[in-house]
Structures are given as structure tokens and as C-alpha cells.
Amino acid sequence: MRKNIVVITGGPGFGKSSLIEALSVKGFQVGGEAAREIIGEQMETGGETLPWKNRRAFQQAVSQRRIDFWESVDGVDWAFVDRGIPDQLAFASFRGFEPSAILKSLASEYQYFPVVFICPPWNEIYVQDEVRTESFDEACRIHEMICKTYNDLGYRLVDVPLCSLEERCAFILSELKLSSGINQ
């Protein structure tokens, strides 16, 4: 089943989370970046569900959080999410792992809106931190893998222009033929 959940994706640090937050302020239901949320939670509590400690448990936790968000969205409502299940396929491939059959099945079962917005590489805003440890070049390679994965799954990719946050939001909403926001 496909839902009106619009994925905003791209390499790490290219402006996805800022867009998701701006869309939330406009009144849309949004899902955050599950992997980053889990890493933050686990680091805060001293947990073991981290990609460098227990990769399998981490992948399962990320998948479950993405499924929970997908299932929380009504079939007719519009929602936006910072990365989708296909991103996990791309990250597994980037890290040199064959994505599991379960993960491939989840990417097939949980369908998003057919248009995916891609935040392209943007060196001027890229910042590393304790969770985003990839170099800009690595982030660009991850970006390429993400684009390939979504293309291979039949999604239509639309690059988000490199401009102000408000202009990027307006671009996405215009492409989807949605009003400027639920609360406006």
C-alpha cells in the first residue's frame, strides 16, 4: 500500500532535517530522522543499540521506528519524513553489507509517495558532529547510493534547489500542488 508520505532524503548534512522542521511548523505531520534520533537516545542513556556496537539491533530499531511512523499516518493525509526505509538499503550497501531480505521486503511493503525530494550536496551548510562523522566526500558517495536506490525502486527524484529554507519549502509544496501549509 502506498501512502501520501513524502520522503525528503539525500546525503547526511544536506538540509533534510531543517526542511522537515519547517514543514512541521507549517502544520504537516512529520517524521524525524530515525537513525539520528536512536543514536542520540542511545548515547544519552549509554545504550548498546548503536551502529558501531550492535549493527543488527540498530537496523531493526531504525526499521521499526520508520514503520511506526508510516503506520501512524492516515491513508489520505499528507506527511513528510526525513529518510525512508529505502535509505537503509542505501546505507547498508554503502557500508559494504548486502541488505537483508527482510529490509528489502520492508522497502517493498511500505510504499511512500512516488515523488521523493532529494537535498543535493551543499558544502556550504555541511557540518560534522558526534553523530554525522562522515566527511563531505563520504556524504556525497552516500547521496549517490541513496539516489540510485530510490531510482531502482521506481521513485521519481526531484532535486530541491539550494536556496533559503522558506524557498525550499515553497518549492516542495508547489511541486506537490499543496497550499503553503495547514496552519496558514
Side-chain angles (χ1 to χ4, degrees), residues 34-180:
R36 189 173 182 86
E37 291 170 355
I38 292 167
I39 290 171
E41 292 163 6
Q42 292 297 301
M43 290 176 74
E44 187 176 302
T45 63
E48 298 288 315
T49 306
L50 293 160
W52 53 87
K53 287 189 175 181
N54 189 336
R55 186 179 56 85
R56 181 177 301 280
F58 177 74
Q59 283 286 343
Q60 289 171 342
V62 171
S63 295
Q64 190 58 56
R65 189 150 312 175
R66 288 185 172 143
I67 290 166
D68 290 346
F69 177 75
W70 192 94
E71 290 179 345
S72 76
V73 175
D74 182 285
V76 296
D77 289 339
W78 284 93
F80 295 88
V81 68
D82 188 336
R83 301 198 181 284
I85 293 169
D87 284 79
Q88 288 180 258
L89 295 171
F91 272 88
S93 296
F94 175 78
R95 299 282 183 224
F97 301 108
E98 175 63 30
S100 70
I102 292 170
L103 191 53
K104 289 177 184 178
S105 174
L106 292 174
S108 176
E109 181 179 349
Y110 292 92
Q111 295 283 308
Y112 299 95
F113 189 74
V115 175
V116 171
F117 289 92
I118 303 291
C119 292
W122 195 354
N123 198 20
E124 290 75 19
I125 68 167
Y126 184 78
V127 177
Q128 289 177 300
D129 60 26
E130 63 183 7
V131 175
R132 185 184 306 117
T133 59
E134 300 89 0
S135 69
F136 182 73
D137 288 341
E138 289 172 317
C140 289
R141 288 196 307 274
I142 292 168
H143 177 81
E144 291 169 8
M145 186 65 67
I146 289 167
C147 291
K148 179 184 179 331
T149 300
Y150 277 95
N151 267 325
D152 289 351
L153 291 171
Y155 290 93
R156 182 172 68 87
L157 307 182
V158 175
D159 281 339
V160 176
L162 305 180
C163 52
S164 75
L165 181 58
E166 190 57 40
E167 290 170 317
R168 289 183 284 151
C169 278
F171 172 81
I172 289 170
L173 296 175
S174 174
E175 287 288 312
L176 296 171
K177 298 181 181 18
L178 295 174
S179 66
S180 62

